[in-house]
Amino acid sequence: MEKYVIKGGTPLFGEVEIGGAKNAALAILAAAMMTDEPVIIENMPDEADTGVILEAMEGIGVEIRRLTRHSVRIGAAHVRDCTIDNEQVKKIRGSYYLIGAMLGRYRSAHVVLPGGCNIGLRPIDQHIKGFTALGARVSIEHGMISAEASRLTGSHIYLDVVSVGATINIMMAAALAEGKTIIENAAKEPHVVDFANFLNSMGANIKGAGTDVIRIRGVERLHGAEYTIIPDQIEAGTFMMAAAATKGDVTLRGVIPKHLESISAKLIEMGCQIREMDDVVQVIAGRRLNHTHVKTLPYPGFPTDMQPQITVALGVASGISIVTESIFENRFKYVDELTRMGANIKVEGSTAIIEGVDRYTGADISAPDLRAGAALVIAGLCAEGFTTIEDIRYIERGYEDLDVKLRGLGAQIERVDTERAVQKFRLKHYAA
Ligand code: UD1
């Protein structure tokens, strides 16, 4: 099994290019099958989750042509059926977008129930509420969710919780429904806006994305388009936190600084310098970080997908920090692993009380999920000595070439698949 082996203690320096947003890509790729005409997607991140969605679509007859590593041509003129049932799809949360896309276009969707990271209960009741309001019959049987409708009609939907997935899924089905749909209490994340822009580029009529109220006027059909996905807010944030925790100086290229403001604001409180220019953000952290308090919230609040990374950074900051997770109820599982590296963190319910230690010490640990896995990589990068991280398949679901990009910043990290390779790495870096 592949793992990362890391020799910590080197501050990250240099420039890194940020890729396309995974969570936008999953929705956009699925929605590309809502027309007969070809759709070309650029800036697609090449990671496991996007591969799973494309494979699932290929399985029902969608033609997928990879043009380059980061662009793909999708042709859905010959879809055979609307049932998607494979082991991989079950593992990723974003596969729920296949339901909205097929329901919108074919009025029929049968998809194995989506899973995703084990970070707490991840219900899809708001998706179902939305589909039902548009006139679909939705049922869950034998691990499959089915949505069918003879007609979809616009509706006024008030979401009980702010849900990224439900907001996007309802937009998909409503784009091809008859009449007008209003989504109230909609999610405002950058990828919700990106997704609406993409559907509009295919001929949809969606207004208000990025605010609490989204208005969709259904159209009869969508057409082909060429679209470039926005940069990944969370990949960028992860590198920002890695720069801060290792006391480095890292310039991120190809980002939208506005999307990173909640992260930049925290880093400034923690004593970092942040410089922003057009599509560039530089994080300079020459000294030990200060403590701060963080609460995760829907956008524009601090993202839950950055909670483990900032907790790791605060674990080696001076003083006591409090991190409150308000989106998912079970997102501190990685703290056990961090404790094995010397962290002093107490978790009480949805709150972590962090007493900063001087340093982490390397250990053999496992990635419990995608973002926590990335956070543990950051811990390894600033730890004294060697760290090995198992189960990196979770990390690779959502980060393209994380080890390669980190090496480009001077990190001592390798992706290895044998014990021998671990030993070789250790020997090579012992003296260093
Ligand atoms: C998406 C992201 C995930 C991110 C999360 C919050 C994808 C593939 N995943 O996940 O990386 O952490 O947004 O930014 O884009 N909820 C319900 N009922 C529902 C749907 C959600 O109660 O039908 C609750 C969830 O349990 C959670 C909250 O609403 O407490 C937010 O979830 P949501 O925004 O839907 O997250 P996901 O779409 O699962």
Side-chain angles (χ1 to χ4, degrees), residues 44-75:
M44 180 190 71
D46 182 26
E47 51 209 8
D49 275 14
T50 45
V52 168
I53 289 283
L54 288 174
E55 221 171 274
M57 288 162 61
E58 211 164 21
I60 57 166
V62 179
E63 193 192 321
I64 307 290
R65 190 153 17 114
R66 296 256 188 175
L67 304 175
T68 66
R69 186 173 184 198
H70 296 125
S71 66
V72 62
R73 182 184 184 279
I74 295 170

Side-chain angles (χ1 to χ4, degrees), residues 264-278:
S264 300
K266 280 293 149 196
L267 285 173
I268 292 168
E269 282 175 32
M270 289 157 74
C272 299
Q273 256 189 73
I274 304 285
R275 292 197 187 134
E276 293 176 0
M277 296 143 270
D278 300 331

Side-chain angles (χ1 to χ4, degrees), residues 95-270:
S95 53
Y96 49 40
Y97 291 132
L98 297 164
I99 310 168
M102 290 193 291
L103 177 66
R105 164 115 187 254
Y106 303 105
R107 307 295 196 242
S108 171
H110 308 274
V111 179
V112 64
L113 262 186
C117 284
N118 183 8
I119 52 180
L121 269 183
R122 300 188 78 175
I124 55 167
D125 57 302
Q126 298 304 303
H127 304 236
I128 294 173
K129 172 175 166 172
F131 294 150
T132 308
L134 295 171
R137 293 174 307 282
V138 185
S139 60
I140 299 179
E141 275 174 6
H142 307 297
M144 298 280 288
I145 172 160
S146 297
E148 289 199 85
S150 40
R151 281 178 72 178
L152 290 174
T153 343
S155 180
H156 196 141
I157 299 160
Y158 197 104
L159 292 179
D160 301 321
V161 290
V162 180
S163 160
V164 174
T167 302
I168 292 181
N169 240 339
I170 295 167
M171 271 198 265
M172 288 196 199
L176 289 172
E178 290 165 42
K180 192 171 169 187
T181 297
I182 300 175
I183 309 174
E184 306 246 21
N185 200 25
K188 297 181 279 198
E189 267 67 4
H191 46 295
V192 172
V193 179
D194 198 40
F195 179 75
N197 289 341
F198 167 65
L199 267 195
N200 283 342
S201 79
M202 290 174 79
N205 184 346
I206 302 175
K207 296 204 170 98
T211 74
D212 300 315
V213 185
I214 300 180
R215 293 185 163 78
I216 305 142
R217 194 169 284 284
V219 294
E220 256 177 44
R221 55 183 290 280
L222 297 173
H223 54 70
E226 275 192 46
Y227 193 79
T228 302
I229 295 174
I230 52 163
D232 197 307
Q233 176 203 27
I234 306 301
E235 187 195 12
T238 302
F239 278 100
M240 291 168 80
M241 229 32 93
T246 61
K247 306 192 185 91
D249 178 346
V250 172
T251 300
L252 290 83
R253 298 206 165 270
V255 295
I256 300 177
K258 172 94 192 137
H259 294 170
L260 302 171
E261 274 174 356
S262 63
I263 301 161
S264 300
K266 280 293 149 196
L267 285 173
I268 292 168
E269 282 175 32
M270 289 157 74

Side-chain angles (χ1 to χ4, degrees), residues 35 45-46 59 80 83 95 101 116 134 161 189 204 215 243 249 266 273 276-277 281 306 331 338 357 384 394 396 403:
T35 172
D46 182 26
R80 286 189 301 270
T83 302
S95 53
L134 295 171
V161 290
E189 267 67 4
R215 293 185 163 78
D249 178 346
K266 280 293 149 196
Q273 256 189 73
E276 293 176 0
M277 296 143 270
V281 167
M306 282 299 302
R331 214 171 183 173
L338 210 49
V357 293
E384 186 185 287
Y394 289 119
E396 292 180 341
D403 54 327

